[in-house]
Amino acid sequence: MEDNANINAGTMILTHFNPMPRFQGIFASEVKPVIIKEEAMVAVRCTIMPGVTIGKLATVSAGIVVDKDVPDYNMLCVRTISKYINLERILKMNKP
């Protein structure tokens, strides 16, 4: 985290991800640093995933899950519409 960066209450910064065994065929394990550059601002209750860089003077709006880099001088404020995904079919495909 660089100088004058601001991270607000309830934000989680994840530098590792290790899925449960039944999901290992779907999600890969990873350990990567998170970089938050100078004067970036992350609003309340965001989740920053492993390997993400938040650029200089970039802003992340409240409640966002950040899974890709945010370029310098940009604001991330788009939310994805909730969507249900039925995992039963996926789990059946990954059984030995």
Side-chain angles (χ1 to χ4, degrees), residues 6-78:
N6 185 347
I7 300 174
N8 286 281
T11 291
M12 292 187 291
I13 300 172
L14 307 175
T15 57
H16 69 282
F17 178 72
N18 191 17
M20 295 185 298
R22 67 175 172 251
F23 293 112
Q24 288 179 352
I26 303 167
F27 302 109
S29 296
E30 60 182 336
V31 177
K32 296 178 181 175
V34 170
I35 299 168
I36 302 173
K37 292 190 175 180
E38 183 180 357
E39 297 188 48
M41 196 277 288
V42 179
V44 298
R45 301 182 74 98
C46 293
T47 301
I48 313 298
M49 299 301 288
V52 167
T53 296
I54 298 175
K56 181 177 180 177
L57 283 162
T59 300
V60 178
S61 294
I64 301 290
V65 175
V66 184
D67 62 349
K68 293 180 176 56
D69 293 348
V70 181
D72 293 350
Y73 308 101
N74 275 264
M75 177 183 278
L76 179 60
C77 57
V78 177

